[in-house]
Amino acid sequence: MKNLNDTSESLNENWGEQKEKLLEKYSILSEADLLFIDGKKEEMLEKVRKILRITEEEFALMLSRF
């Protein structure tokens, strides 16, 4: 079962690309929702997950497919 911790390193490397795909796919998200600040990554991911109303596992799986 995937979780957000499993995708943490790939987020650091590919966040710009993943952010653009999230913005394209989910118009409910804004640039501010996806702002990546060092030390605040987990808070940002949790906020986005709640906006999309998906589980941590679903979110991690989705990010891993981008």
Side-chain angles (χ1 to χ4, degrees), residues 12-46:
N12 291 339
E13 297 169 6
N14 303 318
W15 181 243
E17 196 176 301
Q18 291 170 325
K19 179 176 92 169
E20 291 304 316
K21 289 180 181 179
L22 285 168
L23 287 170
E24 287 175 19
K25 187 170 183 172
Y26 300 100
S27 61
I28 192 170
L29 295 174
S30 69
E31 287 279 344
D33 294 329
L34 300 172
L35 184 62
F36 191 102
I37 299 172
D38 285 336
K40 301 276 186 175
K41 176 176 53 179
E42 297 304 321
E43 292 172 29
M44 181 266 303
L45 293 174
E46 184 65 16

Side-chain angles (χ1 to χ4, degrees), residues 33-66:
D33 294 329
L34 300 172
L35 184 62
F36 191 102
I37 299 172
D38 285 336
K40 301 276 186 175
K41 176 176 53 179
E42 297 304 321
E43 292 172 29
M44 181 266 303
L45 293 174
E46 184 65 16
K47 177 182 174 182
V48 171
R49 188 187 68 73
K50 286 181 179 180
I51 291 170
L52 297 177
R53 295 180 173 201
I54 58 178
T55 67
E56 183 176 333
E57 293 81 18
E58 290 169 323
F59 193 39
L61 184 60
M62 176 180 56
L63 290 176
S64 71
R65 290 181 175 165
F66 282 159

